[in-house]
Structure formats: C-alpha cells, structure tokens
C-alpha cells in the first residue's frame, strides 16, 4: 500500500485545509478512502454517532499536483484509513504559506499520514515541518461499512436558505428545546419549528426553490403520484446535531440543499466546484 | 564590589510605557503564580518561578526605562538577607490584562513600594483626568534568584526576533514539552511525549531549519534537550512584540537552557530546566538540577562562581506525571548538592545571595540593539515636567556606582 501526494498551489492548499477543518468540526474520527481519482471522508452511521453519517467527496486532481497511490491489491486499488481529522487539520493550518506540501503514507511508530511542508525562508535552505498523523488501516473486509450512501427516496427536495441564516435561527432555538422540526414542500417553502410546553416558535422561509430533479418518490418515471406541492414533509431531529453541522461550515457552498424523507431522515447536501458534502441526520419520533 | 542596598524603602518609579511593563507581567504570569517585585537602586526587577521550580523568568527594567525613578533608602549594614516583595499574580495581572486599553487610555503609571507599610500602590493616570489606584498587599519574602552560568554553556545561538515564535507556532497550544535538538548542521524542535500507551496514537510534529537562519550559531556539543514549552511561549510573545533577537544558551540534557533578550532599557530572561535521559533505560528519569554561579556575562565571571557540577548524579526519582512538584518555594541560601528531598522532576535551585547587584550592573552593558522600537527610545520624552530636575539626576545615574 502506498500513497504519495503533493500540493503546491497555495489556493488548493487553503481549500483543502478548509475542507479538512470542516470535517474535523463534524466528527472526531472518520475514515479516509483513497482511490486513484478521489478522496472520501466517510463517517458511517453507527449508534455511537447517534445515527449521523457523512460522505464527503473530493476530486484529487483539483487539489494535488502529484498523486500516486497503490491500493491494497490491483483489483482493489483503494486505501482505507481511519484517522482523527482534527490532527490533520491542525497539521495543515500552520503551513498555509508553504512552498509545497507532501502527504504520504508512512510507517513510523504506527501507520501515519505524514504531512511534510517546505516553508519559505530567506536562506537558501528551506525550513521543513513534518507532522505525523497516526492512522489505522481499515482491512478490506470492513470496507462495506464505508460505501457511498444511496440517495434515499426522499419526499421533498429543496434548496436551503443561506447557512448563516439557518445557523442563527438554530442557535437560538437550541436554547428552547432539544428537538427541532424541519419541514418543507415542493413549493419552495421551509419551516423550522420548535415546540415546548410553554412556547412554540416557527421560522418561515419562502421562495427557496426546489432542485430540478423533481419529487423523488418515483425516480424511475413509473406511475407517478405527483406530490401535492404544498404538502409538507417533515423530520424531527436533535437540534444539537443540526447545529454541529452548521457550526463547522467553513467553505461557502455554491449549492446547498436538503432532502427530507418524511419522519425518517434529513439529508443535507453541500456542493462546491470540487467538493461535495452529504450529511444524514436521522429523525426521531 | 559594592554591597547592594537594602530596600526597606520607598521606590517611586513612574513608568514611561506601561504597556511594555504590562507585557512583562503577562509573560511572567505564564510562568508562575507569584511575582517578586524587586525595586533596587539599579532598576526594577520582576521575577517569577513555576511551582515545579522548572522555569524561572526575570525581567529587569533599568531606571532609564522610567520617566522618574526614585529610590530612597536607608543603607543598613550588610545583612545576610535582602527583603523583597512578593505579589500574587492574580492580583497583579488583572491590572494589566487589557494592554490595548492601557496603551490607549493610560498616560502615566506610578508604582510605589513601601516596606514600612506592606503595600504596593499602582496608580494609572488615565485620560480625562481619571486616576485609578490599586493597593496590593505584598509579602516580604526571601529573594528569588536563579543563577545560570551562561558563559559556561557550550552552545550559544542567537535567533532573529520572529524565528523561535515561527517555529513554536507549529505545535499545538496544549503541547507541554518540547525537545530541541542542535547539531552544527541542523536545528530542530519536536514535540515530546512521555513514554506510555498514549505515545502510540500521538501526532508527532517536527520542525527543522538550517543554522543559516540564526544570527549566531555556535554548537560545540550535539545536544538534545527537553523542556516546558508553556513558559517559553509567554516569553516569546514578549520578545516578538519588541522585535528583539533571542539568545539561547544551553548544554547537554539535564542542564538548564536560558533564553534571553536585551534592550537598552530592559533585559529579560527565562531559564528552564531540562529533562535528563537515563542511559540505562529508555524512559526519562527526573533529576534535580543544580544551577550555580552568577551572571551571564563574562566580565562578571570574576564574582563567585560555582561550576555546574553534579548534574545527573542527584536524586533520580522517577515521577510519572510531568508536573510532579512538591517543592516548597523556600530556597536555600546555598543549594545542597544531592537534592533527594525534592521529589520533583526538575528544579532550579534558587539563591538568596545579594545577586541583584550583579544583575543590575548588566543593564548598562546591554548590547546595542537596532531593534529599539518606538516606545523604548533611548531618551524618553518627559510627559509632565518635574520641578526637581536634580532629584532625577541623582536617582537615575548613568553609571552603576552609587
């Protein structure tokens, strides 16, 4: 198993760092999958995470100048590593002005992802910073846990309001209740609601727009029961999980949307030119 | 050599630049919980030591730093003890906590120490005619003075102002200890973790650079020393804000390392104990460190000097936690060689010698620095005229003799 990548462009380094930092705010540990074309940061929805799962996909060509890897075997040309994204984020944050950054899989005191940066100096010999981020190699038999999630048959798909706005609303709602209801319809309307014994608060968003792939219920074009555009699909979620998702966002997405499977799951999607992030929050009764 | 003046006195220095003084207090607060305030005729010294006695910091402001420095004192016969005043950091630090507001609002700051009462009075004369007066009670304590024979150190480096700060920033804020490794060809820092299970999953960081980056790089003996980073960081933020190059004196593992800066108006240093590696096992064994001898400068070496012997042979108690410290802060006048009674990992023995006189003479041998920044100009302008011009001259001598 071998991996060696090199980033020389400062904007790419910056972007990559921000993606890793966003991931680090979403979860303490995650799995990094590497194949010849892409990198994936994966969190599988286990009970330990409260059922939350995450899938972040990066196209390696958009970040790395050089990228070479040899997977576990020629048929399975992939590498699967478990790491703490916080370590990787810390390693990257201090080297933003580097002339070049190499990332490689190494074996030191344990398997490590080594980040090696050459920093600019006035003298002829560069400063070198090396960070060894410890990783765990995930054996092939467990790879099935970290597959790309299938897009659920959602009831409603809608573009999100600006994340900052939602974050402000959710921050205040968190003080009042532990659970928040997100409901939306195919008419571009979304509501965030909390309800307690004493008070109920609702924030209304209009004219958000719906993504063009139509109501998801029947994607194969079979007998469609067109969904009543005004009918709301809702999901009741733990407000802290939603807040954690919003707090970490460092990169302004070009598109952000969510899919709701009524009373089942909230699926949030953020798209950038070269990165896509999907986040699943299960609904609670 | 003249004997030092006792200061059961009232000293009334007035600060030209309270923000600089405040930054010194900040740096000292990162070292210890108590601050020794030591006004002498030669200048005002601030010192602190951490609870494990593995870090000692000292800032000395010459009378020139002050707009007015008046030191009135009786001169008793030579007594074996000098009286210093010790303040709690948590009483003093809040006064200087917000440096930007001090720079903006405080026009003048006056500190008075009177031994007859137990008060240190700090007054801030602010804009709009506001005066803030703080009375802090001090304890009379034996002097705190760690002596460090920097001229006996085999390795000396001089780092330009930002270099050490730039290196140290790659390490996480919670990193406690750091290992410095120097050979004639390479200088590097890496994080240090005590051996144990947690070692396996730690993130390791190493930063190395070429000796060319230093203004002066003299490494006779390859050495690797491990010391506390936290206390050093506070010192480095002070030095960076003044753009001063930092001198590093060190030896082999087990002997202390000293980081120091000098300016025409003040000098500052921090002395850190280092871990000693035992040759028999891989684990680190703590040892009490003897630090003797006197000042840093060769011309003061004529004074009483004890060689730095006894390193590595004294108390090899193994302590699992890195902050093991049951050392009482009472220093012995003459540090005993085997420090078996001190169950701490590292310690610097402290002295109550009348050492302040030696330290004070150094103020006037300060190296000239091109990095005088705007606040520490050589001749500070007087903000408010004083009628007693003679008094100023009398108590702000240009020569060390008094």
């Amino acid at each position: 198993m071998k991996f060696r990548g090199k980033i020389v462009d400062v904007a790419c380094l910056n972007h990559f760092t921000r993606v890793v930092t966003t991931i680090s705010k979403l979860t303490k540990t995650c799995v990094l999958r590497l194949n010849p074309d892409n990198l994936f940061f994966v969190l599988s929805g286990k009970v330990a995470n409260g059922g939350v799962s995450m899938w972040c996909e990066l196209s390696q060509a958009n970040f790395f100048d050089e990228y070479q890897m040899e997977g576990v075997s020629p048929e399975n040309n992939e590498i699967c590593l478990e790491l703490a994204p916080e370590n990787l984020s810390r390693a990257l944050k201090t080297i933003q002005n580097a002339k070049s950054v190499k990332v490689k899989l190494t074996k030191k005191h344990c398997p490590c992802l080594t980040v090696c940066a050459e920093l600019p100096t006035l003298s002829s010999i560069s400063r070198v910073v090396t960070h060894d981020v410890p990783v765990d190699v995930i054996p092939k038999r467990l790879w099935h846990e970290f597959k790309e999630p299938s897009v659920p048959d959602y009831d409603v798909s809608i573009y999100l309001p600006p994340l900052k706005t939602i974050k402000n609303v959710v921050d205040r709602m968190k003080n009042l209740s532990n659970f928040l209801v997100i409901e939306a319809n195919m008419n571009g309307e979304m509501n965030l609601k909390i309800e307690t014994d004493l008070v109920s608060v609702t924030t209304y968003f209009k004219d958000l727009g719906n993504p063009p792939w139509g109501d998801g219920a029947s994607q194969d074009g079979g007998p469609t029961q067109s969904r009543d555009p005004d009918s709301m699909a809702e999901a009741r979620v733990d407000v802290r999980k939603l807040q954690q998702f919003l707090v970490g966002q460092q990169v302004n997405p070009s598109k952000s949307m969510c899919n709701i499977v009524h009373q089942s799951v909230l699926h949030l999607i953020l798209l950038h030119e070269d990165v896509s992030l999907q986040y699943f929050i299960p609904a609670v009764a | 050599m003249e004997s030092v003046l006792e200061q059961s006195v009232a000293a009334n220095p007035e600060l030209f630049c309270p923000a600089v003084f405040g930054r010194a207090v900040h740096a000292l607060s990162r070292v210890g919980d108590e601050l020794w305030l030591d006004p002498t005729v030669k200048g005002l010294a601030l010192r602190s030591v951490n609870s494990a006695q593995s870090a000692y910091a000292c800032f000395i402001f010459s009378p020139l730093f002050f707009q007015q420095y008046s030191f009135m004192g009786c001169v008793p016969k030579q007594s074996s003890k000098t009286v210093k005043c010790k303040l709690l950091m948590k009483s003093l630090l809040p006064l200087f906590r917000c440096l930007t507001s001090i720079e903006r609002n405080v026009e003048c700051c006056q500190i008075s120490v009177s031994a007859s009462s137990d008060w240190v009075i700090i007054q801030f004369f602010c804009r709009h005619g506001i005066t803030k007066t703080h009375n802090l009670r001090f304890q009379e304590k034996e002097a705190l003075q760690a002596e460090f024979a920097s001229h006996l150190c085999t390795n000396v480096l001089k780092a330009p102002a930002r270099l050490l700060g730039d290196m140290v920033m790659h390490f996480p804020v919670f990193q406690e200890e750091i290992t410095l490794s120097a050979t004639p060809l390479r200088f590097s820092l890496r994080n240090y973790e005590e051996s144990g299970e947690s070692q396996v999953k730690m993130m390791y960081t190493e930063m190395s650079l070429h000796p060319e980056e230093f203004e002066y790089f003299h490494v006779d003996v390859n050495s690797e020393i491990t010391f506390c980073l936290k206390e050093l960081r506070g010192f480095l933020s002070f030095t960076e804000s003044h753009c001063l190059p930092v001198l590093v004196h060190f030896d082999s593992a087990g002997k202390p390392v000293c980081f120091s800066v000098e300016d025409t108006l003040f000098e500052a240093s921090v002395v850190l104990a280092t871990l000693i590696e035992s040759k028999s096992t891989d684990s680190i064994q703590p040892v009490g460190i003897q630090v003797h001898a006197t000042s840093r400068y060769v011309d003061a070496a004529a004074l009483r000097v004890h060689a730095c012997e006894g390193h590595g042979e004294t108390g090899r108690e193994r302590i699992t936690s890195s902050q093991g410290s049951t050392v009482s802060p009472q220093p012995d006048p003459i540090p005993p060689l085997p420090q078996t009674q001190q169950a701490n990992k590292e310690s610097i023995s402290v002295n109550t010698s009348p050492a302040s006189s030696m330290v004070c003479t150094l103020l006037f041998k300060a190296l000239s620095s091109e990095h005088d920044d705007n606040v520490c100009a050589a001749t500070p302008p007087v903000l408010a005229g004083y009628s007693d011009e003679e008094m100023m001259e009398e108590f702000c001598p240009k020569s060390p003799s008094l």
Side-chain angles (χ1 to χ4, degrees):
Chain A
M1 256 198 316
K2 279 200 255 187
F3 169 67
R4 190 180 168 282
K6 186 166 170 188
I7 303 179
V8 293
D9 182 73
V10 79
C12 294
L13 177 60
N14 188 260
H15 194 26
F16 186 67
T17 306
R18 277 185 287 144
V19 172
V20 174
T21 305
T22 302
I23 305 284
S24 73
K25 295 206 173 9
L26 290 175
T27 174
K28 288 219 153 41
T29 59
C30 73
V31 165
L32 172 61
R33 276 181 61 171
L34 303 163
N35 71 26
D37 301 313
N38 295 299
L39 296 90
F40 307 94
F41 289 98
V42 186
L43 178 66
S44 71
K46 300 204 179 80
V47 175
N49 308 327
V52 163
S53 60
M54 173 194 73
W55 177 267
C56 178
E57 187 171 323
L58 293 84
S59 158
Q60 63 84 355
N62 286 327
F63 297 91
F64 290 86
D65 252 36
E66 288 170 26
Y67 187 94
Q68 296 140 19
M69 63 155 288
E70 259 177 45
V72 160
S73 64
E75 313 79 50
N76 296 294
N77 196 15
E78 263 199 38
I79 299 175
C80 232
L81 307 168
E82 186 175 24
L83 50 73
E86 160 79 27
N87 285 340
L88 190 55
S89 161
R90 250 195 297 123
L92 292 169
K93 275 203 269 213
T94 62
I95 54 172
Q96 289 300 294
N97 59 339
K99 295 199 292 207
S100 74
V101 176
K102 292 192 207 118
V103 183
K104 23 183 201 196
L105 192 57
T106 58
K107 182 133 174 56
K108 305 236 167 140
H109 53 285
C110 66
C112 283
L113 207 55
T114 294
V115 177
C116 185
E118 234 181 275
L119 297 175
T121 74
L122 296 172
S123 89
S124 51
I125 304 184
S126 310
R127 300 180 191 175
V128 176
V129 177
T130 311
H131 295 280
D132 292 318
V133 177
V135 299
D136 267 329
V137 178
I138 307 255
K140 191 153 74 66
R141 60 188 159 80
L142 295 176
W143 285 7
H144 62 276
E145 290 182 26
F146 307 106
K147 308 200 302 271
E148 178 163 9
S150 47
V151 180
D153 275 341
Y154 42 81
D155 297 306
V156 166
S157 177
I158 188 170
Y159 287 119
L160 289 171
L163 293 182
K164 257 212 181 92
T165 313
I166 309 185
K167 179 177 173 317
N168 280 336
V169 171
V170 171
D171 279 346
R172 278 142 189 76
M173 288 184 163
K174 176 170 107 65
N175 295 328
L176 297 172
S177 167
N178 284 335
F179 296 99
L180 177 151
V181 171
I182 291 195
E183 58 177 22
N185 62 22
M186 292 306 284
N187 234 349
E189 290 171 345
M190 170 190 270
N191 303 332
L192 301 176
K193 304 199 296 206
I194 51 157
E195 201 166 304
T196 68
D197 291 338
L198 291 176
V199 68
S200 64
V201 182
T202 309
T203 303
Y204 301 90
F205 296 93
K206 291 185 171 24
D207 296 329
L208 293 173
N210 302 84
W213 49 68
D215 6 359
S218 44
Q219 292 178 353
D220 55 1
T224 54
Q225 304 155 296
S226 256
R227 195 186 162 80
D228 169 19
D230 285 330
S231 127
M232 292 278 186
E234 68 169 40
R236 186 162 180 265
V237 297
D238 184 329
V239 77
R240 283 160 302 186
K241 297 200 172 80
L242 182 58
Q243 195 191 35
Q244 190 174 17
F245 173 77
L246 295 166
V247 145
Q249 294 314 312
Q250 302 235 318
V251 210
N252 273 330
S254 24
K255 279 199 166 73
S256 59
M257 61 199 86
C258 81
N259 300 328
I260 303 179
V261 180
H262 186 63
Q263 289 176 348
S264 177
V265 74
L266 174 66
H267 176 207
L268 297 151
I269 310 175
L270 304 182
L271 295 177
H272 311 257
E273 299 151 5
D274 33 27
V275 180
S276 74
L277 174 64
Q278 298 180 52
Y279 200 72
F280 297 83
I281 305 181
V284 296
Chain B
M1 193 66 204
E2 292 130 347
S3 64
V4 69
L5 289 177
E6 298 294 349
Q7 60 287 340
S8 36
V9 295
N12 292 306
E14 291 205 340
L15 286 173
F16 172 68
C17 186
V20 176
F21 192 84
R23 266 183 234 119
V25 173
H26 276 250
L28 286 162
S29 72
R30 311 265 297 259
V31 172
D33 295 327
E34 289 164 335
L35 186 142
W36 272 256
L37 190 70
D38 180 9
T40 71
V41 68
K42 316 290 184 190
L44 181 63
L46 291 91
R47 300 189 175 96
S48 186
V49 70
N50 70 353
S51 54
Q53 294 211 343
S54 59
Y56 160 88
C58 175
F59 285 72
I60 302 175
F61 294 93
S62 99
L64 292 176
F65 174 80
F66 302 97
Q67 216 169 24
Q68 183 197 15
Y69 189 88
S70 52
F71 186 89
M72 295 160 289
C74 38
V75 186
K77 302 289 179 285
Q78 299 199 344
S79 54
S80 55
K81 291 210 283 196
T82 58
V83 175
K84 315 289 178 194
C85 71
K86 184 177 83 151
L87 295 168
L88 285 180
M89 196 64 75
K90 67 176 187 208
S91 313
L92 184 63
L93 183 62
L95 308 187
F96 295 95
R97 188 177 298 285
C98 188
L99 294 169
T100 42
S101 93
I102 288 184
E103 278 173 359
R104 259 200 310 239
N105 297 327
V106 175
E107 289 165 357
C108 185
C109 167
Q110 177 170 306
I111 299 186
S112 327
V113 180
S114 159
S116 47
S117 67
D118 284 343
W119 295 102
V120 170
I121 301 175
I122 301 182
Q123 279 185 304
F124 293 105
F125 298 95
C126 308
R127 288 190 318 178
H128 312 303
I130 300 176
T131 302
K132 300 186 201 176
T133 306
H134 303 270
N135 301 329
L136 306 174
R137 179 151 287 193
F138 68 82
Q139 277 181 285
E140 288 186 13
K141 269 302 212 183
E142 289 85 25
L144 174 72
Q145 176 84 33
E147 296 172 317
F148 177 71
S150 61
H151 63 281
L152 294 180
C153 285
T154 53
N155 299 333
V156 182
L157 316 174
K158 187 169 180 192
R162 300 205 42 162
L163 185 71
L164 290 177
D166 282 349
M167 290 191 83
V168 153
M169 78 135 162
H170 292 279
F171 298 88
V173 169
F174 53 77
Q175 182 65 40
E176 288 192 1
E177 280 147 352
I178 198 171
T179 299
L180 179 158
S181 162
T183 73
L185 299 176
R186 196 165 165 268
F187 177 86
S188 72
L189 293 178
R190 60 179 189 277
N191 61 336
Y192 170 80
E193 306 295 336
E194 288 187 355
S195 44
E197 285 173 19
S198 59
Q199 200 183 33
V200 177
K201 282 305 173 190
M202 290 306 304
M203 180 165 129
Y204 282 91
T205 299
E206 176 168 350
M207 174 159 199
S208 70
L209 41 86
H210 193 266
E212 272 181 12
E213 302 231 33
F214 289 84
E215 288 182 17
Y216 178 76
F217 193 90
H218 179 77
V219 172
D220 264 346
V221 173
N222 289 1
S223 75
E224 262 193 27
I225 51 175
T226 300
F227 50 85
C228 281
L229 183 55
K230 170 177 154 249
E231 288 88 356
L232 178 62
R233 277 194 207 261
F235 181 78
L236 290 178
S237 21
F238 178 86
T239 63
E240 277 194 44
S241 56
H242 294 276
C243 299
L244 294 167
V246 179
L247 272 171
V248 189
H249 289 86
F250 60 105
D251 233 312
S252 48
K255 301 188 185 174
V257 55
C258 175
F259 296 84
S260 58
V261 293
E262 289 170 87
D263 182 79
T264 47
L265 299 177
F266 60 81
E267 63 174 42
S269 64
V270 65
V271 181
L272 302 168
T274 66
L275 287 182
I276 186 168
E277 300 245 1
S278 104
K279 295 187 179 47
S280 50
T281 69
D282 278 341
S283 64
I284 305 303
Q285 288 188 338
V287 72
I289 292 167
Q290 303 299 321
V291 182
H292 302 263
T294 58
S295 69
R296 304 181 200 93
Y297 293 88
V298 176
D299 50 3
L303 299 167
R304 175 177 57 90
V305 171
H306 299 277
C308 289
E309 68 227 16
H311 293 269
E313 293 137 25
T314 59
R316 289 193 173 213
E317 303 97 314
R318 181 189 301 237
I319 304 292
T320 48
S321 87
S322 63
Q323 299 299 332
S325 158
T326 54
V327 183
S328 71
Q330 310 317 333
D332 300 315
I334 296 164
L337 263 180
Q339 291 211 337
T340 48
Q341 71 273 26
Q342 291 184 352
N344 62 332
K345 175 177 80 164
E346 314 136 343
S347 75
I348 302 171
S349 66
V350 291
N351 246 324
T352 54
S353 66
S356 42
S357 60
M358 298 178 276
V359 178
C360 287
T361 60
L362 307 173
L363 295 170
F364 299 93
K365 299 189 201 320
L367 305 170
S368 69
S369 157
E370 296 93 36
H371 301 287
D372 271 343
D373 60 353
N374 46 358
V375 291
C376 293
T379 52
V382 176
L383 276 182
Y386 290 93
S387 53
D388 296 356
E389 300 286 347
E390 304 103 312
M391 187 165 83
M392 278 184 70
E393 278 169 41
E394 187 183 350
F395 289 104
C396 300
K398 297 284 189 248
S399 75
S401 61
L402 190 77

